[in-house]
Amino acid sequence: MARITAGVAASHVPAIGAAVDHNQESTEYWKPLFDGFGWTREWISKEPPDVVILVYNDHATAFDLRMIPTFAIGCGDSFRPADEGFGARPVPVVQGHPELAWHLAESLILDEFDMTVLNEHDVDHGLTVPLSLMFGRPEAWPVKVVPVLVNVVQYPPPTGNRCWLLGEAIRRAVESFDENLDVQIWGTGGMSHQLQGPRAGLINTPFDQAFMDRLVTDPDALRRIPHLEYLREVGTEGIEMVMWLIMRGALGPDVTELHRHYHVPASNTAVGHMVLDASA
Ligand code: DHB
Ligand code: FE
């Protein structure tokens, strides 16, 4: 049977992708950020999972205001890095796992989560930047990826509790896949950031750090954070943090924190990163 062995949380700031693509990881600005991913790169290179269920949001790239699925799943064979306005990132095409993805779609929909099935879509910085953070600049990505997309761009996004419940359903779905697969789940986006309006540049370090603490010690409290609290405390784009709750919900009640990194700023964003072991 397939099983979820670990969860990873990571921000997905597009400027991080540009820094990797232009060999800038050792510059004064970027070194402190990338240093915090060194532990994870070593950990994951020792025993890469077979598949990553990568929870991210599309930023009006594959979708736009004509089509806004709340939850979607990428069932394609592969996913091209998208052109987000400056040409596609020079990173490998992402290989999917259509058999697992279709199994997840079937299991989740019959479990009463109405997933939109994507048979073809390009992936933006929300998916490729976390891969670059974890693997650097490989010729081919060392893992297969099942993308799970969440609308956090156009109001109303799903609640944190709904995200958590989807995570629990993903765990059930993975555990009913009849193949021996080591599966990780990654929750991406966040942490505090607001990219527009008078509060652009907002960062709330105490909230971010308490969120990371509670992800381990009191995740139930995070399920009840309402949208307005995210908007007020961590900015309009801070709402991306609900995607971390899908990851956490999929790990089961007890996790062990293996690694944590927090860095301000990368572009306009507070970068948070955690690795949680689910095998306890
Ligand atoms: C930035 C952060 C994001 O999460 C994003 O999707 C786009 C831009 C930023 O900080 O620049
Ligand atoms: Fe984003």
Side-chain angles (χ1 to χ4, degrees):
M1 127 188 148
R3 61 194 185 94
I4 296 184
T5 54
V8 173
S11 306
H12 62 214
V13 184
I16 295 174
V20 173
D21 298 344
H22 295 96
N23 268 309
Q24 288 174 359
E25 289 108 313
S26 307
T27 60
E28 193 185 333
Y29 183 84
W30 288 111
K31 189 173 181 320
L33 174 114
F34 285 101
D35 279 354
F37 287 84
W39 184 92
T40 315
R41 284 189 185 190
E42 206 181 316
W43 167 79
I44 205 163
S45 70
K46 276 193 208 131
E47 219 176 311
D50 300 305
V51 188
V52 170
I53 298 174
L54 205 159
V55 181
Y56 81 107
N57 67 292
D58 178 81
H59 300 74
T61 305
F63 307 134
D64 56 38
L65 289 179
R66 290 173 301 177
M67 224 190 302
I68 309 168
T70 302
F71 294 123
I73 182 163
C75 295
D77 287 322
S78 60
F79 311 98
R80 283 183 316 245
D83 181 350
E84 298 179 61
F86 301 94
R89 288 191 62 206
V91 295
V93 169
V94 179
Q95 299 304 317
H97 195 307
E99 296 80 15
L100 178 62
W102 272 105
H103 170 81
L104 289 176
E106 178 181 346
S107 175
L108 292 172
I109 291 167
L110 297 181
D111 212 357
E112 303 182 347
F113 286 86
D114 306 318
M115 309 299 291
T116 296
V117 171
L118 307 179
N119 284 316
E120 191 183 332
H121 81 288
D122 293 349
V123 290
D124 72 10
H125 66 272
L127 185 136
T128 62
V129 165
L131 285 173
S132 296
L133 279 168
M134 251 45 90
F135 299 120
R137 265 184 302 273
E139 291 220 335
W141 300 118
V143 292
K144 296 187 169 183
V145 174
V146 174
V148 170
L149 296 84
V150 183
N151 166 44
V152 290
V153 167
Q154 174 62 43
Y155 187 83
T159 64
N161 189 53
R162 186 71 177 151
C163 288
W164 178 284
L165 294 171
L166 176 62
E168 289 184 341
I170 288 173
R171 182 186 181 86
R172 289 192 289 275
V174 167
E175 289 180 350
S176 63
F177 189 64
D178 204 12
E179 193 184 321
N180 221 351
L181 288 181
D182 179 336
V183 180
Q184 286 185 7
I185 182 159
W186 296 3
T188 72
M191 298 190 91
S192 51
H193 64 305
Q194 170 144 347
L195 302 178
Q196 71 243 284
R199 297 208 310 160
L202 178 145
I203 300 284
N204 185 343
T205 296
F207 186 100
D208 289 341
Q209 299 207 331
F211 191 93
M212 293 206 266
D213 291 342
R214 290 195 290 178
L215 209 58
V216 181
T217 59
D218 187 13
D220 269 350
L222 301 180
R223 296 168 68 168
R224 292 189 290 272
I225 298 175
H227 288 332
L228 270 179
E229 188 174 334
Y230 282 108
L231 293 182
R232 188 180 65 234
E233 298 296 329
V234 284
T236 42
E237 278 69 41
I239 191 72
E240 289 179 348
M241 284 155 74
V242 295
M243 295 186 290
W244 290 33
L245 298 183
I246 297 178
M247 176 273 288
R248 182 62 190 84
L251 298 183
D254 297 315
V255 294
T256 308
E257 180 175 340
L258 298 179
H259 179 63
R260 183 193 294 208
H261 175 50
Y262 183 76
H263 176 78
V264 178
S267 179
N268 291 296
T269 299
V271 168
H273 169 48
M274 294 180 86
V275 180
L276 303 175
D277 186 298
S279 55

